[in-house]
Amino acid sequence: MIELLYAISTLVFVVAGLTMVGMAMRAYVQTSREAMLHLSVGFSLAIAGAAATMISAFINDFEGVRSLLLVNSGLTTFGYLFVMYSLITYE
């Protein structure tokens, strides 16, 4: 049951994140502001971390939890750094 809840919450996060990536890319096309490109990269990295962790967890039957968490937190951290950079460099 907990695995199903984990999968559902991750999928909701991925869909919401992809929506934000699409909105940021649309804003980049309309305004040509590089900050919007950095924002979309940041959200993409956070989504990739969540998706890769979920897929790996189910493939490996939730073994190697430490490495799964390391990948997830690493990609999420780099993603948020891009989001922060986009906020700092936005003119």
Side-chain angles (χ1 to χ4, degrees):
M1 179 66 174
I2 193 75
E3 291 90 355
L4 179 63
L5 290 174
Y6 171 61
I8 290 171
S9 66
T10 302
L11 291 174
V12 168
F13 176 74
V14 167
V15 169
L18 288 174
T19 301
M20 290 188 287
V21 169
M23 293 170 75
M25 287 304 298
R26 183 176 45 179
Y28 173 69
V29 169
Q30 291 175 349
T31 64
S32 298
R33 291 183 183 259
E34 287 190 17
M36 294 297 103
L37 186 61
H38 295 127
L39 185 66
S40 66
V41 170
F43 284 128
S44 297
L45 286 171
I47 294 165
T53 301
M54 183 187 72
I55 292 167
S56 297
F58 280 102
I59 287 174
N60 295 321
D61 200 28
F62 291 88
E63 297 292 325
V65 174
R66 289 182 180 168
S67 59
L68 291 175
L69 291 175
L70 180 64
V71 169
N72 187 4
S73 63
L75 285 172
T76 302
T77 299
F78 282 117
Y80 286 155
L81 288 174
F82 270 95
V83 170
M84 288 171 43
Y85 182 71
S86 74
L87 294 172
I88 292 169
T89 60
Y90 188 81
E91 298 173 6

